[in-house]
Amino acid sequence: MEKLRLLEKNYESAKEGFHNQLSTSYNELCKGLVQKRNRIDKTKADFEAAANAGQDKTTFSTEKVKLNVGGAMFETSLSTLRREESSLLATMFSGRHQLEPEEDGSYFIDRDPLRFRLVLNYLRDLRIPTAVSQDKAIQHELLQEAKYYRIDSLVKLLH
């Protein structure tokens, strides 16, 4: 019986020592990860600051934007183009990138104007017309445009 108590005592002592060592190692790893994350965040911020330094950015003097999409002219608002924040159009017209307008003040996009009309109307209303939802060919083409413009909500709607 005495051997059993001694064995249990040794077991409990070893278990406690292992737990303490494991806890210490875990805390050191966590601390190291936090330090590495902070260094990465600082490096990222320094990189972004350097990348943005001296860059000319496009500032839009009006809410209205003229677009030349595949030869067809469209007028819309910046808020419509920026409606889906992660989209290509929102990124293009965020003001973070230098865009050069054409002589007539429009911005050229080399895409199909027929499908762009549907994309633009979706951004305005956040819905697609019933006729489009009933036509698989148009749905497929619109899905390709939604993927190109990275309009995730429209991609989800069409899937």
Side-chain angles (χ1 to χ4, degrees), residues 32-144:
L33 287 174
V34 168
Q35 289 171 345
K36 284 181 183 180
R37 177 61 190 208
N38 289 341
R39 284 194 303 268
I40 289 170
D41 288 345
K42 182 176 179 347
T43 302
K44 179 182 174 188
D46 292 347
F47 175 79
E48 288 174 348
N52 291 331
Q55 273 190 348
D56 290 335
K57 304 216 172 141
T58 302
T59 55
F60 298 96
S61 59
T62 178
E63 170 71 3
K64 190 164 70 170
V65 178
K66 288 192 326 186
L67 302 171
N68 175 349
V69 181
M73 297 302 287
F74 294 87
E75 286 191 32
T76 190
S77 66
L78 281 173
S79 58
T80 297
L81 294 173
R82 294 173 179 167
R83 173 157 279 163
E84 183 128 350
E85 292 178 7
S86 63
S87 74
L88 176 63
L89 293 168
T91 301
M92 286 174 63
F93 293 95
S94 66
R96 295 182 306 234
H97 305 283
Q98 184 175 4
L99 297 177
E100 293 295 326
E102 301 293 313
E103 288 181 16
D104 64 357
S106 69
Y107 295 92
F108 180 74
I109 300 174
D110 190 16
R111 297 300 286 182
D112 180 2
L114 296 176
R115 300 302 165 237
F116 184 77
R117 179 181 60 81
L118 295 172
V119 168
L120 192 55
N121 283 336
Y122 172 78
L123 289 173
R124 289 174 174 144
D125 305 329
L126 295 177
R127 64 178 188 81
I128 56 173
T130 306
V132 171
S133 61
Q134 295 173 348
D135 188 322
K136 294 295 182 194
I138 293 175
Q139 269 189 6
H140 179 72
E141 291 177 18
L142 183 55
L143 177 61
Q144 298 313 307

